Amino acid sequence: MTNVLQNIPSVNELLERPPLRQLVERVSRTTVVGGVRHFLDNLRSEVQQAAADVELPSPGELAERIAQWITADQTLNLRPVINATGVLLHTGLGRAPLADAAVQAMQDIARGYASLEVDVTSGQRSERQADVAHLLRRLTGAESAVVVNNNAGATLLALAALAGEREVIVSRGELVEIGGSFRLPDVMQFSGARLREVGTTNKTRLADFAAAIGPQTAALMRVHASNYAIVGFTERAPLDGLVELAHGNKLLMIDDIGSGALHDFAAYGLGDEPVITTSLRAGADVVLFSGDKLLGGPQCGILVGREEPLRRIARHPLMRALRVDKLTLAALIATLRLHQDRERAEQSIPLLSLLSTPLANLQNRAERLAPQLAATAVVGQAEPFAATTFVGGGSVPTQELPTWCIAISPAHGSVDALAQSLRTGPIPVFGRIQKDRLLLDLKTLFPRQDIELVEAFQRLEPSPKEVENDAS
Ligand SMILES: *Cc1c(COP(=O)(O)O)cnc(C)c1O
């Protein structure tokens, strides 16, 4: 055993070997030296613990193994991917992609100092949300606006500031859990507000709200059923009725609309989405929504509404804990500026351009790409395929959108294996599996990625084992 230990090459000797020398150039000397030491320590304890003598690999092979080990350790999961799932707001894939102008704004602000809380004219301290609030007021017609980390944060803050220690009345049918453990009842509890559930899962009438109002009530709240739909025998209290009831009892009306459509999305086939201005016009005092859903901006939660409740929200201590940084502000402001012109918004906000791409365009591209994919070694068959998809991301649960896909059957092996190898390439590709075929959906594929998609397939070679199995 001692012999084996003595035969382990030194760190310096290993660093001279080509795989590790190359790695030093690519990563850094410190990282590679640290990695080699760590690997050798592990190897020594393995040798010491082994019952019999272990056979050491040659120094060249050892260097190769260490280089692979260090490389794997340096590889991150987070990286850009091709979203061919057809789900436009895919929470797992980062929801809304940002407009070029938003990316540029973030970069400009990130690289140096910025007048975040200084008024450039007077040189005096200014309010960091002044610009964004101004834009939000103009776009929505609201008296006031506040931006926080996300919509879950907006809910927490609104309830803490407006209903802390008091009661909020919510319909039982709207006590939702929205992906990744956002459970409205839990968030409400943290806020200090007491939840008063009324009605039944499928039916809640205005009278149910009215009967629950008492001296402890601070607000009525409505929550949009973003990721599910209760269909069939249902009844929901209308917003204008709720507003009248709330104001008649000197209560606030809080409306969590979820995805933040600035205008009617019916033209995109999403007619059921609540619209910010509609909610404000109906008289809601505070309207909450996410920045990275239908608004197509960065992750954030936006509160718009009447001046007085929003002032209380802005002054609450939680505001400091939930406030957004300069990069989010820069990206949101740039996105909102694009929204000032609807046509420009459609051209330059990725979510809106994907939503508004004509179906014929998707079909053309599917027809053009299918034979190119079919020509690669890993594909057995590839054909254009008309399908339907969803917006996703906790938006628009029931409205299907027509789309075009390329349906792929692998040349060898299972469709799961093909899907996995596509995910593990240098630019991971995500599709969806349906009836033993891999569907690549053009709805979420940017035209500039068409070529990248074909290249991702070309890089995949069937493993010799698979070819052998198929031949036998
Ligand atoms: C998505 C959603 C939320 C959570 O928003 P985040 O920005 O993800 O925190 C809350 N309420 C509704 C109705 C939603 O749709």
Side-chain angles (χ1 to χ4, degrees):
M1 184 184 83
T2 38
N3 258 354
V4 178
L5 282 179
Q6 274 160 13
N7 288 340
I8 293 178
S10 73
V11 174
N12 282 337
E13 191 186 337
L14 285 166
L15 286 172
E16 287 306 311
R17 299 275 165 176
L20 289 168
R21 251 199 350 247
Q22 284 155 16
L23 203 57
V24 166
E25 310 248 302
R26 278 217 325 271
V27 188
S28 85
R29 191 173 167 83
T30 317
T31 307
V32 177
V33 171
V36 174
R37 289 216 173 101
H38 194 155
F39 191 97
L40 291 185
D41 284 346
N42 289 349
L43 184 63
R44 276 190 208 100
S45 30
E46 257 174 59
V47 169
Q48 277 162 346
Q49 276 158 27
D53 263 1
V54 219
E55 204 169 320
L56 279 186
S58 71
E61 196 183 318
L62 195 57
E64 183 63 53
R65 271 202 223 166
I66 298 175
Q68 276 172 11
W69 185 75
I70 295 173
T71 308
D73 188 54
Q74 293 282 314
T75 306
L76 301 174
N77 183 65
L78 179 62
R79 67 190 101 154
V81 305
I82 292 177
N83 176 10
T85 63
V87 180
L88 284 153
L89 294 171
H90 194 301
T91 302
L93 302 182
R95 283 200 194 155
L98 291 180
D100 288 344
V103 175
Q104 186 62 52
M106 283 175 99
Q107 180 170 335
D108 292 346
I109 294 299
R111 288 174 61 89
Y113 298 100
S115 48
L116 183 64
E117 290 186 359
V118 176
D119 181 281
V120 289
T121 314
S122 67
Q124 302 294 305
R125 186 75 181 249
S126 74
E127 170 48 49
R128 70 160 61 199
Q129 299 209 356
D131 286 337
V132 82
H134 175 69
L135 274 161
L136 281 165
R137 283 197 304 268
R138 201 151 70 198
L139 281 166
T140 66
E143 288 174 13
S144 203
V146 163
V147 180
V148 293
N149 179 61
N150 58 10
N151 196 15
T155 306
L156 178 67
L157 178 60
L159 293 174
L162 305 177
E165 312 286 297
R166 295 176 67 202
E167 274 180 13
V168 178
I169 305 175
V170 189
S171 158
R172 205 160 260 133
E174 297 178 353
L175 289 172
V176 297
E177 167 165 340
I178 295 156
S181 78
F182 173 80
R183 281 193 167 168
L184 186 72
D186 296 345
V187 174
M188 293 182 87
Q189 207 158 32
F190 268 111
S191 74
R194 277 197 311 280
L195 190 60
R196 182 77 193 263
E197 303 168 34
V198 296
T200 58
T201 307
N202 60 332
K203 282 202 172 204
T204 305
R205 300 182 184 87
L206 214 44
D208 296 323
F209 281 89
I213 294 174
Q216 280 304 306
T217 313
L220 309 184
M221 183 166 182
R222 196 177 75 145
V223 183
H224 180 55
S226 295
N227 56 353
Y228 70 103
I230 296 171
V231 291
F233 190 60
T234 65
E235 190 171 331
R236 204 176 171 221
L239 182 62
D240 47 8
L242 285 171
V243 167
E244 203 183 311
L245 182 64
H247 292 173
N249 288 277
K250 297 201 160 41
L251 305 174
L252 292 170
M253 181 64 220
I254 303 172
D255 194 14
D256 174 8
I257 64 166
S259 46
L262 268 173
H263 44 74
D264 192 355
F265 271 55
Y268 304 127
L270 303 173
D272 290 350
E273 266 307 283
V275 179
I276 305 165
T277 45
T278 309
S279 192
L280 288 169
R281 258 189 253 120
D285 299 286
V286 184
V287 179
L288 320 177
F289 51 94
S290 301
D292 54 348
K293 291 183 180 171
L294 293 182
L295 202 67
Q299 179 196 301
C300 60
I302 300 172
L303 307 100
V304 295
R306 283 201 307 110
E307 173 108 43
E308 191 276 328
L310 279 172
R311 197 169 40 234
R312 275 154 67 194
I313 286 169
R315 287 184 182 162
H316 192 274
L318 263 180
M319 178 67 202
R320 182 63 176 76
L322 293 168
R323 79 173 182 192
V324 289
D325 73 329
K326 58 185 179 176
L327 302 185
T328 302
L329 280 177
L332 180 60
I333 288 167
T335 307
L336 293 172
R337 289 180 80 155
L338 294 172
H339 273 296
Q340 290 179 301
D341 177 340
R342 234 163 117 164
E343 212 171 302
R344 201 156 136 235
E346 220 172 67
Q347 283 160 7
S348 44
I349 296 175
L351 181 80
L352 299 184
S353 29
L354 291 175
L355 260 179
S356 59
T357 305
L359 209 50
N361 171 305
L362 305 186
Q363 182 180 2
N364 276 338
R365 286 161 59 206
E367 282 167 358
R368 195 158 34 80
L369 287 169
Q372 295 178 49
L373 296 178
T376 62
V378 293
V379 174
Q381 271 191 331
E383 58 177 27
F385 180 77
T388 53
T389 186
F390 299 95
V391 171
S395 289
V396 208
T398 45
Q399 296 180 78
E400 294 189 340
L401 294 170
T403 186
W404 276 88
C405 300
I406 305 153
I408 300 212
S409 319
H412 314 279
S414 69
V415 69
D416 289 308
L418 176 63
Q420 198 210 8
S421 49
L422 278 166
R423 285 198 308 270
T424 44
I427 305 175
V429 176
F430 286 77
R432 64 178 192 268
I433 292 172
Q434 191 181 304
K435 294 196 179 126
D436 253 5
R437 295 202 292 182
L438 177 65
L439 296 190
L440 300 172
D441 196 319
L442 275 288
K443 185 65 111 189
T444 45
L445 189 72
F446 296 109
R448 64 177 148 86
Q449 292 179 318
D450 288 6
I451 178 79
E452 291 175 27
L453 181 70
V454 176
E455 284 167 358
F457 273 82
Q458 286 168 343
R459 271 193 296 265
L460 299 180
E461 292 299 331
S463 73
K465 194 167 127 266
E466 281 171 355
V467 177
E468 232 168 72
N469 284 348
D470 266 39
S472 60

